[in-house]
Amino acid sequence: MRNHKFDCIHGHFYQPPRENPWLNTVEVQDSAYPFHDWNDRISAECYSRNSASRILDEQGKIVDIVNNYSRISFNFGPTLMLWMKQRDPDTYQAILEADAESQKRFSGHGSAIAQSFNHIIMPLANARDKETQVIWGIKDFEHRFQRRPEGMWLSETAVNTDTLEVLAKHDIKYTILSPYQAKNVRKIGDKNWVDATGAKVDPRRPYLCKLPSGRKISLFFYDGPVSQGIAFEGLLNDGKVFADRLCGQLDLEHGNDTPQIMHIATDGETYGHHHRLGEMGLSYCLHHIENYEEADLTIYGEYLEKFPPEYEAQIIENTAWSSTPHLERWSDDGGGNTGGHPDWHQRWRKPLRAAFDWLREEMITLFEKEMRPLVRDPWTVRNEYIDVILDRSRENTAAFLKRHALHSLSSEEEIKFLKLMEIQHHAMLMYTSCAWFFDEVTGIETIQDIMYAARAIQLAYDISGINYEEEFVKLLEKCPSNVPEYGNAAAAYTKFVKPSVVDMHRVGAHYAISSLFFDYPEKTRVYSFDVDSENYEFYEAGKYSLAIGKAKLTSEVTWEEKLISYAILHLGDHHLFGGVRDFNHDTSYGEMKDEVRESFQKSRVHEVIVLMDKHFGSHNYSFWHLFKEDQQLILDKVMSSTMKNIEVNFSSIYDNNYSLLQAMTELGLTPPKPLKFCSDFTINARLEELLKEDDINFKALDVVAESFKRLDVKVNQVGLDFLAEKKVN
């Protein structure tokens, strides 16, 4: 231990939940190209890199590879961890291992701390939601890290006394706040408070906060200027400069026996996503402190155990690290914006929250009415529903139902029970803070939260038969948009949210349509639905094909079941036409099957379409009803021969005109655009094919590389970088 002086770096790692509320999966996001989605991209640029970050010497050679998470304090959003466990399990496991390793380094205390579950602004939540958010955050943490959390990160560090009371009630020892959230401080035992507003608090010590209930919680106010310096002063460009800046804030000359902790807190994505190679700057900073500086690395739990607070603090109520008092950024206009559109207003923020508040209260009334005949205490059951969210296996969910139900439930009661729990789940997800953080009500983050509301509305209708959507849309009309083509959030609801709503027929249509392109087994999974095919018949006639069948669909989430029949006609390319309906146990299925099959086999395509109208009525579906993921896969399939022909033709033009292209380039002449496009396309395509091979043909690679140089080819930088990095890794 070096003179009782310590450094601590906290990273808040979080992404907004991006899952389709009906499918429980993140669909492909084109803006994240060449990655599948933004979680995938940010994990590659930041989360995975921090689990195996390089330390270089002065010659740029790798001298060590380290897991940064084992040396810093960090929290990961629970909803992000839900995604990571499924889609990036190696990084997920590395994070868990880092916490275990950190306990050996930091006197039995782990680097990881918990977070309120889905990043709601806690002071703006009602009392029950505060409680559930903390309970779910703790249980999620225990499920993953196999220990109790000592600290908890509050979304946006948004805090008030009621929020601290809930943390302390559930044995959370500390939280981390901005220095601008401190109101008064004093040495424990002193009578007079000292004004700490305007960030006048000394961040180098912990503070005890005594709560009205008699409970206590410790507060760490991070160093604001240095935290900001990481983002805006280039501290990550040089790990040594970063380390020197941290240690420079400690009093190393006087009072060496007085414990001090210099600590900062930033978005974890700073280290690699916001700042390319930022994880290496962090690694070298940690390495330099461990080996050269006059301070030790620590984490909050270890420091609290060794040096309990000698001072106490009061907070400024209803503040956050990125908002003025009263949390206007998440509740009203004038609370700040991203700066991308300085002329845009945020008058939509207040009515949007009002719309969600109305829906939440309606859902509370429904929840209590419908759950009370099934369980003793509906809200206790909601607090424990996180056990199901973390493990949706049939066995675990059945055990949960049995544990909480007042009596043996019928199948209908089980489905109602689970739908009511999901209503509450989505009623909290719709308050995810990102909806209000940005400038525009029709932005993807806000639309995502409105989708959670739409899912709650759909489930509530299933149970009650009440159309909550009508009033909700009226409330959205009061949320003005900055984009003239929308006018308000209700128009965006109609354009983006309404078409995204999924019911069992839509799932059946997706299965039936995609069965024409994929060879499904009799039992398969379509996103969060199990499909049991009870009858499937496939026919081809030239470029046309037909699928007829019946299948049972079962929701993994609500256990809802539906037996459907379907007929899908493929007319080539993406031209699809079909119908899906509830299966009838009378002769109608056999009649439909016989009539449609006979007409198709006689090549009477128009008659097939007429018969589908007859048997399915308005329950018609097409390519556009496929979920986005498979739309792209099927388009790739139907376009594969076309793209191959294009590639062959472009390649022929390039090969036949190579010498001409080379001569024009050497003479400084600009080739005709069509010829230049063909050459750029062909050379990029050839390099792409080489990078996709299991074993790279280096001779062919040299030829392609030479062509890039000789012909001044425009490189597909993003796509080829992605492939090259995968190959090198």
Side-chain angles (χ1 to χ4, degrees), residues 511-522 532-541 544-551 564-570 577 579 583 588-601 608 612 616:
Y511 166 75
I513 293 170
S514 57
S515 74
L516 291 165
F517 301 92
F518 307 117
D519 187 18
Y520 287 129
E522 286 188 7
D532 291 335
S533 178
E534 297 190 359
N535 178 245
Y536 184 81
E537 298 179 19
F538 177 78
Y539 305 95
E540 281 186 304
Y544 302 142
S545 57
L546 173 72
I548 306 174
K550 67 174 180 176
I564 61 161
S565 59
Y566 58 86
I568 304 293
L569 176 66
H570 182 209
F577 182 82
F583 176 78
S588 60
Y589 173 67
E591 178 186 328
M592 178 275 292
K593 184 170 64 171
D594 292 342
E595 289 182 356
V596 171
R597 178 179 56 204
E598 182 179 355
S599 295
F600 180 80
Q601 290 176 334
V608 172
M612 287 187 179
F616 296 99

Side-chain angles (χ1 to χ4, degrees), residues 126-415:
N126 66 20
R128 285 198 186 100
D129 285 358
K130 284 188 182 75
E131 186 96 4
T132 302
Q133 286 286 313
V134 171
I135 291 171
W136 284 18
I138 290 171
K139 287 195 172 185
D140 181 274
F141 185 94
E142 290 175 334
H143 174 77
R144 300 183 194 288
F145 294 98
Q146 299 296 301
R147 64 177 179 85
R148 283 281 301 180
E150 295 183 89
M152 177 171 280
W153 179 267
L154 295 171
S155 314
E156 302 284 342
T157 73
V159 72
N160 63 0
T161 297
D162 288 345
T163 300
L164 294 179
E165 285 277 18
V166 178
L167 296 186
K169 175 184 175 182
H170 292 282
D171 299 320
I172 296 297
K173 295 179 180 178
Y174 66 86
T175 191
I176 306 158
L177 300 177
S178 159
Y180 290 94
Q181 294 176 276
K183 180 181 180 181
N184 295 308
V185 298
R186 67 184 178 188
K187 192 163 187 177
I188 294 174
D190 285 357
K191 290 184 178 181
N192 297 323
W193 290 97
V194 177
D195 177 36
T197 58
K200 293 192 289 289
V201 64
D202 186 347
R204 296 172 296 184
R205 59 169 66 107
Y207 295 84
L208 192 67
C209 183
K210 298 176 182 177
L211 300 169
S213 65
R215 300 186 182 98
K216 301 174 183 178
I217 189 170
S218 294
L219 306 176
F220 287 90
F221 297 97
Y222 63 78
D223 187 291
V226 180
S227 298
Q228 288 290 308
I230 293 173
F232 303 111
E233 297 174 20
L235 290 183
L236 289 177
N237 297 335
D238 188 321
K240 181 180 181 302
V241 173
F242 184 10
D244 290 344
R245 180 72 183 276
L246 285 174
C247 294
Q249 304 304 112
L250 294 165
D251 185 353
L252 299 175
E253 295 182 4
H254 303 93
N256 286 336
D257 293 332
T258 302
Q260 295 179 39
I261 177 172
M262 166 56 194
H263 62 106
I264 60 171
T266 64
D267 287 331
E269 290 75 19
T270 301
Y271 306 111
H273 174 57
H274 298 155
H275 293 271
R276 186 173 180 272
L277 303 181
E279 81 284 353
M280 293 176 63
L282 174 60
S283 298
Y284 197 85
C285 168
L286 298 169
H287 167 78
H288 195 79
I289 292 171
E290 285 184 316
N291 290 279
Y292 303 106
E293 296 288 355
E294 297 181 57
D296 290 300
L297 292 175
T298 191
I299 55 175
Y300 298 111
E302 180 189 52
Y303 191 85
L304 269 182
E305 181 184 43
K306 292 182 176 180
F307 309 107
E310 297 180 359
Y311 286 74
E312 59 182 313
Q314 296 174 327
I315 60 166
I316 303 174
E317 297 287 339
N318 301 314
T319 54
W321 71 348
S322 58
S323 177
T324 55
H326 314 303
L327 303 170
E328 291 176 341
R329 184 156 202 159
W330 298 275
S331 61
D332 211 344
D333 192 13
N337 56 47
T338 61
H341 300 276
D343 56 325
W344 281 8
H345 66 78
Q346 282 78 51
R347 292 194 298 273
W348 51 269
R349 283 176 174 159
K350 187 173 183 178
L352 179 67
R353 184 166 289 276
F356 287 164
D357 286 349
W358 171 84
L359 182 59
R360 178 192 64 198
E361 294 306 308
E362 292 292 323
M363 296 303 98
I364 287 173
T365 301
L366 177 67
F367 180 67
E368 291 187 326
K369 175 187 174 184
E370 298 292 340
M371 282 294 283
R372 290 206 180 277
L374 304 178
V375 301
R376 290 182 181 83
D377 181 359
W379 298 106
T380 297
V381 176
R382 187 183 79 161
N383 286 342
E384 297 188 16
Y385 186 62
I386 183 64
D387 295 339
V388 173
I389 293 172
L390 293 170
D391 177 7
R392 292 193 181 275
S393 68
R394 193 84 177 191
E395 297 76 15
N396 183 63
T397 305
F400 180 85
L401 292 171
K402 184 177 181 180
R403 188 162 66 248
H404 291 288
L406 286 172
H407 58 267
S408 179
L409 301 178
S410 67
S411 296
E412 292 76 13
E413 287 175 323
E414 288 176 338
I415 292 169

